[in-house]
Amino acid sequence: MKLVQTRIRAGVWEGVLTGAGSGAGAAVPQLEVLHQERKLSGVTVAAVPGREGDFQVRVPIPPEVLSEGVQTFLIRRGDDTLAHFTIITGVAMEDDLRAEIDLLRAELDMLKRAFRRHCLETMG
């Protein structure tokens, strides 16, 4: 399964999810988008007409999450991170290093939670 960004326009991130299943009865994948460990609402996933197994993904970006600096959004299905996107506001940055560090922090937080959950399940 692969999720590819197509554009960000009018405050909405858009992408196409491929390889998510095929056939007339294929279920629409359930995706979640996280920003600073908070789920965002309004995410839509819809079948692409004429392209079996492909889905259009739309993520509205709430204005209240945008602030000075780097904002990273994780798009996930279950425990799998399918894609991420980063928005940088304020002072122009020479490179994307801060965005990468922010993404690593988000991934590390996710791994810590999963490890702690695993330890609790296996000990109890």
Side-chain angles (χ1 to χ4, degrees):
M1 190 173 333
K2 185 176 180 182
L3 179 57
V4 177
Q5 176 177 331
T6 54
R7 66 182 180 174
I8 295 180
R9 184 170 188 188
V12 178
W13 181 95
E14 296 180 7
V16 175
L17 180 64
T18 58
S22 59
V28 174
Q30 298 298 309
L31 303 181
E32 66 180 8
V33 178
L34 299 174
H35 173 261
Q36 296 180 349
E37 299 185 31
R38 262 188 44 233
K39 279 187 188 179
L40 299 183
S41 61
V43 177
T44 59
V45 181
V48 176
R51 292 174 41 193
E52 190 172 312
D54 289 358
F55 295 88
Q56 175 72 37
V57 179
R58 294 177 47 89
V59 179
I61 304 165
E64 62 270 12
V65 303
L66 298 178
S67 59
E68 182 88 19
V70 178
Q71 306 300 319
T72 301
F73 302 81
L74 301 176
I75 304 173
R76 302 174 35 115
R77 182 178 186 195
D79 288 334
D80 296 327
T81 300
L82 300 176
H84 73 277
F85 63 97
T86 303
I87 298 175
I88 302 172
T89 58
V91 178
M93 298 184 61
E94 296 300 320
D95 56 28
D96 203 26
L97 185 58
R98 287 188 192 175
E100 290 299 320
I101 291 171
D102 195 46
L103 177 61
L104 287 171
R105 274 194 199 119
E107 292 286 337
L108 181 59
D109 288 342
M110 177 196 64
L111 288 171
K112 287 191 307 190
R113 284 191 311 277
F115 180 71
R116 288 179 184 142
R117 185 174 56 242
H118 170 73
C119 289
L120 287 174
E121 290 172 355
T122 56
M123 292 180 77

